[in-house]
Amino acid sequence: MLTAARVAPVSYVGPDFDPPQSRRSRRRPLTVAAAALVPGALLGWLVYEAVGGTGDGGGSDQAGLGTSSYSSPADDSADSPSASSPSAPSSSAADDKQPGTSSTPRTSAPAGSTPLRGKVVVIDPGHNPTNFQHTAEINRKVNIGTNSKECDTTGTSTNAGYPEAQFTLDVSRRLRALLEKQGATVKFTQDGNRPWGPCVDERAEIGNKANADAAISIHADGAAVGNRGFHVILPGSVHAGAADTRKIVAPSADLGERVAGNFLRATGSAPSNYIGDGTGLVTRTDLGGLNLSTVPKVFIECGNMRDSKDAALLTSGAWRQRAAQGISEGIVSFLRGS
């Protein structure tokens, strides 16, 4: 069983999760389409602040963003596995069903309502639930263009033992179902069907070989208590060794901004109060999954698993469905150019 102790490494430790570099001033705040930052989302922040805010002492200059005003439904409590059984199935509540798993029949969208027909999306569920059983394999160094890093990591977990790798698979499967209904062809880097990995270089290669129109890596962070909110990681310009992101920097930024804006609107969660200067956007050049990509690609850290308030959202099946919806709408907006 995957225990909390075994998933202790946090998201910013390992191949694609080193401590962020000092962030240069970004060209603009969260410039997702103005429609994405709808008044309703802003009102949600204000309502949240009125009833207590984030409760952390820092980030007072983060535009007072706070975090989600969404409360998990009572029937989601069974979807928060204990440390002794972090791989327990989701609750039987309707919102906790995982669309798109091998046991769930695929449903074709009605004719004429498939705007993404012909588009390919690659989804990369971060980490792997059984990486902890394969330390030698995941600690092997791989070339990411700028330097070498470990193949993969175990990921983080909530304090109660709900693993990041389980979270990423659940959100990814929900996202796949939504995109397939729009007519997209969706490919996974892993679907819980391999014992470990894949390594970060292979994750990038899967998107490249698929000639994906868009690729996204799903994660949750493992930062300090009081650090809350989501952020989307964009590739910086890298031209070294096997890495050359120059052609994908601009389209990836467009993809990331649309994902961030729609994620905010769908979930009510605010952009991170600890990274990204309140924009919800971070540019990095040290991630193999981005450096080696030749197709537009971003990462999303959906929240901080180590903070109890964010963890209450991340372990809610209803909230994960909202998260998948927001990510889906960002991808659809990007692929349709609208």
Side-chain angles (χ1 to χ4, degrees):
M1 299 292 287
L2 182 56
T3 66
R6 284 170 173 153
V7 294
V10 299
S11 279
Y12 281 122
V13 177
D16 272 354
F17 299 96
D18 284 345
Q21 301 170 338
S22 297
R23 175 177 163 77
R24 295 189 296 272
S25 178
R26 189 162 168 80
R27 61 192 179 279
R28 54 190 180 276
L30 185 56
T31 52
V32 289
L37 296 176
V38 293
L42 298 176
L43 178 59
W45 296 346
L46 296 176
V47 170
Y48 180 83
E49 292 296 325
V51 297
T54 63
D56 70 73
S60 59
D61 61 344
Q62 301 296 325
L65 293 180
T67 189
S68 174
S69 58
Y70 173 73
S71 297
S72 304
D75 62 5
D76 278 332
S77 59
D79 201 31
S80 305
S82 67
S84 62
S85 59
S87 299
S90 298
S91 79
S92 59
D95 280 329
D96 287 341
K97 293 179 181 178
Q98 296 183 2
T101 61
S102 59
S103 60
T104 304
R106 300 294 177 84
T107 302
S108 300
S113 64
T114 54
L116 299 188
R117 186 174 299 280
K119 299 293 186 181
V120 177
V121 178
V122 169
I123 301 174
D124 176 30
H127 312 290
N128 185 309
T130 53
N131 270 354
F132 75 94
Q133 296 175 336
H134 300 272
T135 55
E137 291 89 344
I138 68 171
N139 287 331
R140 176 175 63 86
K141 295 293 183 69
V142 298
N143 190 306
I144 65 165
T146 53
N147 63 312
S148 295
K149 285 191 175 182
E150 289 80 5
C151 159
D152 201 3
T153 65
T154 60
T156 188
S157 69
T158 65
N159 293 330
Y162 179 57
E164 179 187 359
Q166 185 173 326
F167 168 84
T168 65
L169 274 173
D170 182 85
V171 172
S172 295
R173 289 165 177 166
R174 294 170 187 268
L175 176 58
R176 174 172 59 191
L178 292 168
L179 291 172
E180 287 181 339
K181 287 181 180 179
Q182 297 283 321
T185 297
V186 180
K187 299 184 179 182
F188 272 29
T189 59
Q190 61 94 12
D191 197 3
N193 53 355
R194 52 186 294 167
W196 57 273
C199 297
V200 295
D201 55 344
E202 184 183 350
R203 290 173 186 265
E205 185 179 15
I206 290 169
N208 298 343
K209 286 184 175 180
N211 196 26
D213 296 285
I216 188 164
S217 189
I218 309 297
H219 288 270
D221 208 354
V225 174
N227 292 336
R228 300 192 61 191
F230 74 91
H231 63 275
V232 176
I233 305 174
L234 315 175
S237 182
V238 175
H239 185 209
D244 187 355
T245 63
R246 292 174 294 178
K247 291 183 179 180
I248 69 164
V249 167
S252 296
D254 185 23
L255 170 63
E257 289 167 356
R258 292 172 188 265
V259 167
N262 282 279
F263 189 88
L264 181 157
R265 182 195 53 75
T267 65
S269 290
S272 169
N273 65 4
Y274 62 98
I275 187 172
D277 300 329
T279 66
L281 300 171
V282 179
T283 299
R284 292 177 62 176
T285 59
D286 61 322
L287 305 183
L290 295 180
N291 287 358
L292 298 176
S293 181
T294 60
V295 299
K297 184 175 182 180
V298 298
F299 282 40
I300 183 168
E301 297 277 4
C302 297
N304 178 18
M305 301 197 92
R306 294 295 185 170
D307 179 86
S308 60
K309 293 179 180 179
D310 267 12
L313 302 175
L314 297 166
T315 55
S316 160
W319 188 89
R320 291 196 300 273
Q321 185 63 31
R322 291 188 179 192
Q325 185 68 43
I327 297 169
S328 171
E329 289 172 1
I331 293 172
V332 171
S333 173
F334 170 73
L335 293 178
R336 299 187 69 183
S338 58

